[in-house]
Structure formats: structure tokens, C-alpha cells
Amino acid sequence: LPIGPGITPSWFVPDPQALQIRLWVNDQLHQNESTADMICTVAELIAAREGHFTAADLILDAQARRLAIGRATIFRALELLTELKLLERLDLPEGEHAYVTCEPAARHHHHVVCSSCGRVRDVEDHGLMEALQDIERHTGYAIDSHRLELYGHCPRCRTRGN
């Protein structure tokens, strides 16, 4: 997959997730091809990462790969990929915003984030819907949506004593 018009960097190895994102973005954006290329370049940076990441991480990755991508471009791409539901934004305990990748048509789920290494795991409902119904009954609110992020230490970091 080219990064720009006919340019394929030597470090690039096609990644199935990056390919999926490229196809999804091309399908969703029926407008500007350079916008799609920019988003796909950022998506390829994302696909090379594991766990959650920040915009600053992607800026450093782009600089390390000598890609001509500015901060504003990365922020716009993150915003659009989040709107397309390919990314979810996490609010980290330190106040930073991070992102994790998601399947385009994934069912509603929550995340458990390792506070040490950043590994993210999707978790199912585990009774949360019943708790939400109980909250509705007690408050009179009709809950339209919710977001739950859990933080702790993954089994690998706990074994290492992090």
C-alpha cells in the first residue's frame, strides 16, 4: 500500500488491520483522495502500535519514519477515525487522552487498561446492563449511552511486580 502517490516506504510491511482501515476509509470518504491518503498514513502508524497510544506517540512515530505529517494532520485523522468508530478515545487517569483500535461494527464493549504497560483488553457487559436498568429505575433517567474504562495492572505486569 503506498503512503503517498506511488510511494511505498522500505519499512512498510502490509498489515491486515491497516488494510482494513484503508478499505473502510476509502469506502466512507467519497471526497478528497489526499484526505483519505493522510488518514490511511496515520492508520498505518496506528496499526504498527500495540496497546493504547496518544497523538504524541504518533507524532514521534511519524518523525522517526521521516513522514511529512504535521500535528494538526494527526489530530484531524484521530478525530475522523474516532467518528468512523475505528478508534475509541480513552481518558487516562493522568488526564491524557489515548486511543485504542476497534472493529468498525463491533458490539458495545468496555476496556480494561494496564496502568503499567498500556495493554488494553476489551471486556463484555458482565452485568452492567442490569446495573444501568437499576440506575434508570432509581433516578428516572432514560440512559442513552455510557462509557466505562477500567484501569489496573495486567497479569504480565503483576507477575513482574510493576
Side-chain angles (χ1 to χ4, degrees), residues 25-26 29 31-41 73 76-77 80:
V25 168
N26 285 340
L29 296 177
Q31 67 229 18
N32 186 337
E33 189 173 322
S34 66
T35 301
D37 285 344
M38 171 269 304
I39 293 166
C40 291
T41 299
T73 299
R76 279 194 310 272
L80 186 56

Side-chain angles (χ1 to χ4, degrees), residues 41-133:
T41 299
V42 174
E44 289 163 0
L45 291 173
I46 292 167
R49 296 200 133 271
E50 193 173 314
H52 71 260
F53 56 89
T54 64
D57 294 330
L58 297 180
I59 291 166
L60 291 175
D61 292 348
Q63 290 170 347
R65 294 179 180 182
R66 300 185 190 278
L67 298 174
I69 301 175
R71 291 173 45 92
T73 299
I74 288 175
F75 280 102
R76 279 194 310 272
L78 289 172
E79 184 179 321
L80 186 56
L81 291 169
T82 302
E83 287 175 20
L84 292 173
K85 302 203 182 304
L86 294 171
L87 296 179
E88 282 189 42
R89 191 176 96 169
L90 302 175
D91 298 319
L92 299 179
E94 307 83 37
E96 276 189 292
H97 300 297
Y99 298 86
V100 291
T101 57
C102 295
E103 295 295 319
R107 76 219 174 287
H108 184 76
H109 62 279
H110 306 283
H111 299 107
V112 177
V113 182
C114 181
S115 301
S116 295
C117 70
R119 178 174 289 118
V120 178
R121 180 173 174 194
D122 293 352
V123 292
E124 298 296 323
D125 176 82
H126 297 289
L128 182 59
M129 290 308 294
E130 293 166 11
L132 291 174
Q133 291 168 353

